Amino acid sequence: MLAAIPGEGEMTALVGQSLYEVWNKLCALIDGKYDMDCLWDKGGKAWTYEYKYRRGGKTLCALYARENCVGFLMILGKAERLKFETERDKYTKEVQKKYDEAQTYHDGKWIMFEPVDTSLFDDFIRLLGIKRKPNRK
């Protein structure tokens, strides 16, 4: 567990102003569609921080932060992968490529995006919708 949740200053110093804005916009987008428990934690070996969206013991997605980089992780299980593959053409080439390159583990396909702007946010929301229907109007 984290000793303290990082504040705006710490996050800005870590990822930089423009990426901190991307982080905040992504959080606002998810928060606007989903009522979830949000948990801060250490980011493991590769990241400084992890910010997980969970509900009822299931993770929707997670955001990660490290020096000059933010990450957005989606794990798609077997049924969710089938849904993605059925609707594959609705996604940008970049998202399709990330999906194809992502490692598949016993619990699903781990797709890590490193957004530098908001251009893939529509795809992110569509991916989240595969995992769970939005529970906010």
Side-chain angles (χ1 to χ4, degrees):
M1 248 1 229
L2 278 180
I5 290 171
E8 183 178 343
E10 194 177 336
M11 286 294 287
T12 304
L14 180 65
V15 301
Q17 185 63 47
S18 68
L19 286 178
Y20 185 58
E21 285 171 20
V22 171
W23 172 284
N24 279 331
K25 286 175 183 168
L26 185 52
C27 287
L29 189 64
I30 298 167
D31 292 338
K33 298 208 175 279
Y34 294 92
D35 179 19
M36 306 292 282
D37 299 322
C38 297
L39 308 164
W40 282 96
D41 206 348
K42 293 185 177 106
K45 290 182 186 133
W47 300 88
T48 308
Y49 296 114
E50 174 188 67
Y51 185 63
K52 212 181 255 184
Y53 283 87
R54 286 178 67 96
R55 178 115 187 212
K58 288 193 170 189
T59 299
L60 176 69
C61 64
L63 276 70
Y64 291 87
R66 67 174 176 230
E67 198 172 336
N68 300 317
C69 189
V70 296
F72 173 70
L73 178 69
M74 295 269 325
I75 301 171
L76 297 181
K78 205 170 194 171
E80 296 156 349
R81 293 203 321 264
L82 280 173
K83 274 189 203 169
F84 174 86
E85 287 164 14
T86 308
E87 302 174 351
R88 187 184 174 91
D89 309 349
K90 295 180 181 171
Y91 293 87
T92 59
K93 290 280 179 252
E94 192 174 340
V95 168
Q96 291 179 31
K97 184 174 189 282
K98 279 281 185 197
Y99 176 86
D100 293 340
E101 293 170 351
Q103 184 75 43
T104 305
Y105 297 97
H106 71 281
D107 58 349
K109 199 177 231 320
W110 291 50
I111 312 164
M112 176 64 84
F113 298 94
E114 293 180 4
V116 292
D117 56 32
T118 60
S119 63
L120 295 178
F121 281 16
D122 287 346
D123 279 3
F124 291 172
I125 287 299
R126 202 174 295 127
L127 283 169
L128 291 171
I130 288 177
K131 281 197 77 76
R132 181 180 199 127
K133 284 189 174 30
N135 57 3
R136 281 200 170 135
K137 290 290 176 229

